[in-house]
């Protein structure tokens, strides 16, 4: 499956907190790849973009939403408060896309 990772990033958080959130998303993404899936980890794609004053939050939200709606087949929601991840989760559900919350619930792919 093509899985979009949803979870806290926190572009207004201190950089060490953002780094921890990116590391958590990366760890889940690696586990899903080992289970035979393809993953998109927006945390990795846009890490540090909040420091580029030419970009606005809307730029990476548009990118994330496009990958979610036009590339992903399912979502995986990491725990934690995140208005952005909540919006992604709602968008996925609104388009009939399943969202997983526990790695053990994601079926293994035939690719493994």
């Amino acid at each position: 499956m093509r899985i979009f990772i949803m979870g806290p990033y926190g572009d207004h958080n201190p950089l060490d907190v953002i780094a921890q959130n990116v590391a958590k998303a990366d760890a889940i993404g690696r586990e899903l790849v080992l289970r035979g899936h393809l993953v998109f980890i927006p945390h990795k794609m846009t890490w540090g973009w909040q420091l580029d004053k030419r970009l606005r939050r809307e730029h990476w939200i548009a990118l994330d939403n496009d990958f979610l709606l036009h590339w992903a087949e399912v979502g995986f929601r990491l725990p934690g408060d995140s208005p952005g991840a909540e919006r992604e989760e709602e968008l996925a559900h609104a388009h009939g896309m399943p969202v997983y919350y526990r790695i053990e619930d994601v079926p293994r792919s035939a690719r493994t």
Side-chain angles (χ1 to χ4, degrees):
M1 286 185 288
R2 293 185 312 267
I3 303 175
F4 183 97
I5 308 297
M6 306 167 182
Y9 179 86
D11 45 293
H12 298 296
N13 284 332
L15 293 180
D16 63 321
V17 173
I18 293 172
Q20 291 170 13
N21 290 336
V22 172
K24 289 175 188 176
D26 182 67
I28 288 294
R30 290 171 191 240
E31 288 302 315
L32 291 167
V33 166
L34 291 172
R35 294 172 77 87
H37 302 290
L38 302 172
V39 298
F40 179 73
I41 308 169
H43 305 68
K44 301 279 285 192
M45 171 69 190
T46 60
W47 191 7
W49 284 21
Q50 76 278 3
L51 302 175
D52 186 333
K53 300 305 177 198
R54 298 170 303 155
L55 297 172
R56 296 185 319 275
R57 191 168 196 276
E58 293 77 27
H59 288 115
W60 57 87
I61 289 174
L63 178 71
D64 291 351
N65 289 346
D66 199 66
F67 269 97
L68 177 62
L69 293 177
H70 301 290
W71 178 82
E73 296 171 301
V74 302
F76 187 94
R77 176 66 160 92
L78 295 165
D81 293 332
S82 171
E86 289 168 17
R87 282 191 301 277
E88 291 165 350
E89 186 177 7
E90 290 169 4
L91 185 61
H93 286 304
H95 286 83
M97 184 182 298
V99 177
Y100 291 98
Y101 302 90
R102 300 177 336 137
I103 193 103
E104 54 270 12
D105 293 336
V106 180
R108 288 191 177 272
S109 170
R111 290 183 238 179
T112 56

